[in-house]
Amino acid sequence: MSALIFIFGPILLAALVGWMGRKDGAWVRYVALALFTLLLAYALWLLRHVPHGGYLSLGEFLNVPAFKFALTLQVDTLSAIMLLLTATLLLLVGLSSWTIDRPGPYFALLILFSGPIVGVFATTSLLWFFIFWELTLVPMVFLVGIWGAERRIYAAVKFFLYTHFASMLILLAFFLIYAQSGVFDMTQLKESMLLTPALVWWLLFIGFAVKMPIFPFHTWLPDAHVQAPAPVSVLLAGVLLKMGAYAMIRMAMLMMPEQAHRHAWVVLTLGLITLFYAGFMAIYETHLKKMVAYSSISHMGLVTVAIATLGFGGLSAALFEMIGHALIISPLFLIAGFLHHRTGSWQMGDMGGLMQKAPWLSAVFVLAGLAALGLPGTAGFIGELSILIASIHRFGLWMAVVAIASMVGAGYIIWTFRRVIYGEISRAVETNDFSMNRVEFAALVIFSVLILWFGLFPSQLFSIINGAFDALHATGGAL
């Protein structure tokens, strides 16, 4: 019953607090933080009680036997890790949004988002997965379209159309699966039950590739990031993109291992193109938030390369990189949004000399930037190194080319430091106040601590992550 509360409870709660707090809704912030704290505690409880290499059953609801259609809630270590990451980011996004305009409806939409996203990670029913997957779009479109920048409507519509088109491909794949196998539960499905496994795999792969996103399906993301308010960009990069990677691993790879091995070269090629294309785009960007957006896409290319290895080490590395990337990219987006709010510009040339005016804020930016380029001692280094080792082990020494991506990353990050943090102080920086609300700054400090903690003590995270793929290792690739 508790899982149902965290899935459907926020939907009802969002409607209630959204109506009550539509005028002066500052108190809704506290309701949202209380809910996200409870969700974090629940995710920790799930992670502790998931059986090693198996599923923890949370019940079966809304059963329609005639169509084998039921809301089956089961969680394994992979799901529990994603729930823990989601709950952590929701809590920190709540803190980062403390001074947002019209807090009542804004936090109501965050509450609304938290329900279906729990459903995405908690259900093993393909049909219910799709329903929750689609429901996450609704609050995100409104958050971008209402609280975004000048071209927010264009960005929100583009985001909706791209991801909705991808969802239609996924839905078609799910109905093909049901028509050919007679089951909706992914834990009962075997690839051998399908008559057209290649078609199903391609539909799933393209659908999830749009969400991650992977080149050439990435064009919606820079616009969405640039127009969205900074905390919503954190949700886009930290939760929605990871939702695509999670689905790619669980369904396109683990659920269909034969097709995954057959098309691994496609995944690898697109991952490498994404890694380098987005990295070079970031180098040439002068728009701070768009540079961070392309950096985010480049890192998802790295995750894609890791997924293409289809091995225990590669998938563990992919999951570590997903968590590390979420922690690293979030403060970069938050600080980019804060600087735009203070200076009125997105251009890095207007933000020079920030270290002289806001040293603590600059220090957090430098730490996250160095972690993004893979500085030893940070979570970014562990993720990139483990992916490099896994990809060389799977594809050979030529995969050392992945290391060059770190040099590309160093190019755009160091160049950004030169233009934003150091150099001659700009007029916009000199004439504006960069003092930050304590609650918002606390979120940046927590992100910084986690980046360093998982960089210095990666075994603590790997010991949990490895459990997510133990079942795969033991069964040779099938769920």
Side-chain angles (χ1 to χ4, degrees), residues 95-135:
L95 293 175
S96 304
S97 307
W98 208 249
T99 56
I100 197 88
D101 292 335
R102 290 169 288 168
Y106 176 89
F107 277 89
L109 286 169
L110 286 185
I111 292 171
L112 177 63
F113 176 77
S114 70
I117 194 68
V118 171
V120 165
F121 296 126
T123 184
T124 54
S125 165
L126 294 176
L127 198 56
W128 276 102
F129 173 89
F130 176 80
I131 292 170
F132 293 135
W133 176 282
E134 281 294 276
L135 286 177

Side-chain angles (χ1 to χ4, degrees), residues 51-303:
H52 186 72
Y55 283 91
L56 173 67
S57 177
L58 303 176
E60 185 175 288
F61 310 92
L62 307 173
N63 193 6
V64 183
F67 299 99
K68 299 180 181 177
F69 174 53
L71 173 55
T72 309
L73 298 177
Q74 298 185 89
V75 174
D76 62 359
T77 306
L78 178 59
S79 313
I81 290 172
M82 296 307 297
L83 282 171
L84 184 58
L85 175 64
T86 299
T88 303
L89 288 180
L90 278 169
L91 188 57
L92 293 176
V93 163
L95 293 175
S96 304
S97 307
W98 208 249
T99 56
I100 197 88
D101 292 335
R102 290 169 288 168
Y106 176 89
F107 277 89
L109 286 169
L110 286 185
I111 292 171
L112 177 63
F113 176 77
S114 70
I117 194 68
V118 171
V120 165
F121 296 126
T123 184
T124 54
S125 165
L126 294 176
L127 198 56
W128 276 102
F129 173 89
F130 176 80
I131 292 170
F132 293 135
W133 176 282
E134 281 294 276
L135 286 177
T136 60
L137 282 180
V138 178
M140 291 304 295
V141 167
F142 282 107
L143 286 168
V144 175
I146 297 175
W147 283 269
E150 295 81 8
R151 301 185 68 207
R152 57 188 180 276
I153 301 299
Y154 166 78
V157 171
K158 187 175 182 180
F159 164 63
F160 178 81
L161 290 178
Y162 263 72
T163 52
H164 189 62
F165 170 74
S167 298
M168 292 304 100
L169 299 181
I170 296 168
L171 182 62
L172 179 58
F174 288 171
F175 276 115
L176 281 175
I177 289 173
Y178 180 73
Q180 296 175 19
S181 68
V183 297
F184 269 127
D185 194 315
M186 63 180 80
T187 63
Q188 298 174 14
L189 179 72
K190 301 297 179 188
E191 192 174 349
S192 57
M193 300 164 72
L194 301 177
L195 300 175
T196 58
L199 175 60
V200 171
W201 187 89
W202 275 106
L203 290 170
L204 291 176
F205 174 74
I206 295 174
F208 299 142
V210 172
K211 200 75 164 188
M212 284 186 68
I214 299 173
F215 179 91
F217 311 108
H218 66 287
T219 58
W220 63 271
L221 188 62
D223 287 320
H225 271 313
V226 168
Q227 299 303 319
V232 176
S233 288
V234 172
L235 284 183
L236 279 170
V239 179
L240 283 196
L241 271 58
K242 305 305 180 291
M243 191 170 82
Y246 163 83
M248 180 80 78
I249 292 173
R250 183 174 288 287
M251 297 182 198
M253 301 299 152
L254 301 185
M255 196 171 74
M256 307 187 67
E258 291 180 16
Q259 294 301 316
H261 278 94
R262 180 173 299 174
H263 297 100
W265 64 274
V266 175
V267 183
L268 176 65
T269 303
L270 292 181
L272 287 173
I273 292 174
T274 305
L275 177 62
F276 286 101
Y277 168 77
F280 282 114
M281 289 296 290
I283 286 179
Y284 288 104
E285 269 301 332
T286 57
H287 188 294
L288 178 59
K289 202 173 183 190
K290 194 173 282 188
M291 185 282 294
V292 178
Y294 277 115
S295 162
S296 178
I297 296 172
S298 181
H299 279 83
M300 291 311 292
L302 196 60
V303 171

Side-chain angles (χ1 to χ4, degrees), residues 201-439:
W201 187 89
W202 275 106
L203 290 170
L204 291 176
F205 174 74
I206 295 174
F208 299 142
V210 172
K211 200 75 164 188
M212 284 186 68
I214 299 173
F215 179 91
F217 311 108
H218 66 287
T219 58
W220 63 271
L221 188 62
D223 287 320
H225 271 313
V226 168
Q227 299 303 319
V232 176
S233 288
V234 172
L235 284 183
L236 279 170
V239 179
L240 283 196
L241 271 58
K242 305 305 180 291
M243 191 170 82
Y246 163 83
M248 180 80 78
I249 292 173
R250 183 174 288 287
M251 297 182 198
M253 301 299 152
L254 301 185
M255 196 171 74
M256 307 187 67
E258 291 180 16
Q259 294 301 316
H261 278 94
R262 180 173 299 174
H263 297 100
W265 64 274
V266 175
V267 183
L268 176 65
T269 303
L270 292 181
L272 287 173
I273 292 174
T274 305
L275 177 62
F276 286 101
Y277 168 77
F280 282 114
M281 289 296 290
I283 286 179
Y284 288 104
E285 269 301 332
T286 57
H287 188 294
L288 178 59
K289 202 173 183 190
K290 194 173 282 188
M291 185 282 294
V292 178
Y294 277 115
S295 162
S296 178
I297 296 172
S298 181
H299 279 83
M300 291 311 292
L302 196 60
V303 171
T304 307
V305 169
I307 292 174
T309 65
L310 294 171
F312 180 84
L315 293 178
S316 293
L319 191 50
F320 191 101
E321 175 67 13
M322 286 161 61
I323 296 169
H325 173 253
L327 299 175
I328 291 165
I329 210 69
S330 297
L332 292 177
F333 273 125
L334 291 174
I335 293 174
F338 178 78
L339 293 180
H340 171 65
H341 184 66
R342 289 294 190 272
T343 63
S345 173
W346 285 114
Q347 295 301 310
M348 292 187 233
D350 296 333
M351 303 172 183
L354 186 67
M355 180 65 83
Q356 300 176 44
K357 198 69 183 286
W360 288 107
L361 191 68
S362 300
V364 174
F365 190 87
V366 169
L367 172 65
L370 293 175
L373 64 85
L375 181 76
T378 65
F381 172 74
I382 302 299
E384 293 186 17
L385 179 65
S386 55
I387 289 175
L388 177 64
I389 293 172
S391 56
I392 289 177
H393 179 72
R394 171 68 176 83
F395 298 109
L397 271 177
W398 71 274
M399 283 301 293
V401 69
V402 170
I404 297 176
S406 294
M407 300 179 197
V408 176
Y412 61 73
I413 290 296
I414 299 297
W415 184 226
T416 301
F417 288 170
R418 172 67 183 82
R419 288 178 287 184
V420 176
I421 304 298
Y422 302 106
E424 187 177 346
I425 191 167
S426 68
R427 180 172 177 77
V429 170
E430 191 173 20
T431 56
N432 280 289
D433 178 18
F434 290 88
S435 56
M436 185 174 250
N437 180 289
R438 289 183 179 180
V439 177

Side-chain angles (χ1 to χ4, degrees), residues 20-42:
M20 294 177 65
R22 62 189 185 281
K23 292 182 179 178
D24 180 18
W27 55 272
V28 181
R29 299 177 301 189
Y30 297 98
V31 176
L33 288 187
L35 174 67
F36 301 154
T37 303
L38 287 173
L39 179 59
L40 180 62
Y42 182 61

